[in-house]
Amino acid sequence: PYTNDYQYQKGNRIGARYMYQFFRYYDADTPRLYEEKFGKPFPQQLVNLKDGDAVYVDLDENGVIDGNDMTRRLGNTDDPQFLLGVNAGFSWNNFELNTQWTGAWGVSRMIGEAFRMPFVSRTDYTTGGLLQYHVDNTWDPAHPSQDAKYPRATWTNGQINNYQNSALYEQDSRYLRLKTLMLGYNFRSPFLSQLGIKRMQLALSGYNLLTLTPFIWGDPETVASTDPTYPLQRTYTISLRFNF
């Protein structure tokens, strides 16, 4: 049994994530800002914080951050609330254009350790990686900013605090995608009719040509994109079709 109602899956979406509510990165103003926002004293966090460490919200208001402060009531899930599928096209003279659009919103991904932790584990060396995105977006004492995408890079406060499952690492993965596009030209002539060919079509097709999404870590359409995967391929095809 859990201690608090917000910890249970009941009453939440199927697949609701279990995570801490992220407040801000720690600095000298954090205790005061916390008390102003929540009307409670600043709670004891998972570790002794240093500037740039992640700060979490004390949901049960007992003055201590622990597992009882993890909730399933934040954010979205891997399953979209809404899906979109549209087939659209037109014909003009002998030209033909067909497109298929897909999309989803009300969906998010919890990015995996390789995208979350700037360093590999010292025990098994299988997780984490220093990506350029880490370098450019990690909280930096030389340029401290609450707009940083990642907390202070650290060994000591890392897995215990900074890289815990929290709303900080839940990323919006809504998208609109041009899944397929086909542009064709239909040849019709008496000569083709004499050969018994009703229509000859030359077509150029494309697959995964365009994706509009705020999710930059991989393919927003697949759960596997939360860890490094082979990039989604864009393909082109030229075809010649005969109708007899």
Side-chain angles (χ1 to χ4, degrees):
Y2 288 111
T3 304
N4 306 290
D5 289 342
Y6 55 74
Q7 296 178 270
Y8 286 94
Q9 296 185 44
K10 180 181 179 180
N12 297 300
R13 288 176 58 186
I14 294 175
R17 297 186 177 93
Y18 197 49
M19 58 183 170
Y20 289 106
Q21 181 177 337
F22 173 73
F23 177 51
R24 72 195 304 269
Y25 300 124
Y26 184 79
D27 59 22
D29 294 328
T30 298
R32 174 182 57 82
L33 294 174
Y34 187 97
E35 293 183 19
E36 290 177 357
K37 182 174 180 63
F38 299 104
K40 298 289 182 180
F42 184 65
Q44 178 183 334
Q45 297 287 313
L46 297 172
V47 294
N48 292 324
L49 299 178
K50 294 185 178 180
D51 287 355
D53 284 341
V55 175
Y56 303 118
V57 178
D58 182 20
L59 295 181
D60 61 5
E61 300 182 344
N62 67 348
V64 178
I65 300 296
D66 54 27
N68 290 327
D69 294 303
M70 299 184 77
T71 178
R72 300 184 194 273
R73 295 181 179 175
L74 299 175
N76 289 300
T77 72
D78 289 323
D79 300 312
Q81 286 185 293
F82 304 98
L83 291 169
L84 171 71
V86 176
N87 294 317
F90 66 89
S91 297
W92 179 72
N93 288 339
N94 290 327
F95 288 97
E96 182 178 341
L97 176 70
N98 292 303
T99 63
Q100 181 187 40
W101 295 83
T102 61
W105 62 97
V107 58
S108 64
R109 303 278 182 251
M110 182 69 75
I111 59 174
E113 290 183 341
F115 292 143
R116 188 186 309 184
M117 303 172 63
F119 308 118
V120 297
S121 168
R122 289 182 293 179
T123 56
D124 57 22
Y125 295 95
T126 60
T127 58
L130 188 61
L131 309 178
Q132 186 63 46
Y133 191 80
H134 282 129
V135 175
D136 294 338
N137 293 280
T138 293
W139 186 95
D140 183 356
H143 304 91
S145 173
Q146 294 296 327
D147 294 328
K149 301 298 184 182
Y150 290 94
R152 176 179 71 96
T154 172
W155 282 117
T156 55
N157 288 1
Q159 291 181 326
I160 300 175
N161 186 80
N162 284 3
Y163 309 125
Q164 289 281 343
N165 280 350
S166 75
L168 179 62
Y169 299 110
E170 184 186 29
Q171 303 297 334
D172 185 359
S173 58
R174 67 184 186 274
Y175 69 91
L176 177 65
R177 168 170 287 164
L178 177 57
K179 195 78 169 181
T180 62
L181 182 147
M182 188 279 291
L183 177 63
Y185 183 81
N186 298 310
F187 296 89
R188 295 184 176 90
S189 70
F191 174 73
L192 294 176
S193 300
Q194 293 174 3
L195 298 177
I197 300 174
K198 297 180 180 179
R199 185 180 69 165
M200 182 176 72
Q201 183 187 69
L202 178 65
L204 173 64
S205 301
Y207 181 73
N208 285 331
L209 297 180
L210 173 68
T211 301
L212 304 175
T213 179
F215 189 80
I216 64 172
W217 292 267
D219 180 9
E221 197 171 3
T222 64
V223 179
S225 62
T226 58
D227 283 306
T229 56
Y230 194 79
L232 187 67
Q233 292 181 305
R234 181 183 293 120
T235 60
Y236 302 92
T237 304
I238 297 178
S239 61
L240 184 63
R241 297 175 56 188
F242 297 90
N243 288 10
F244 295 93

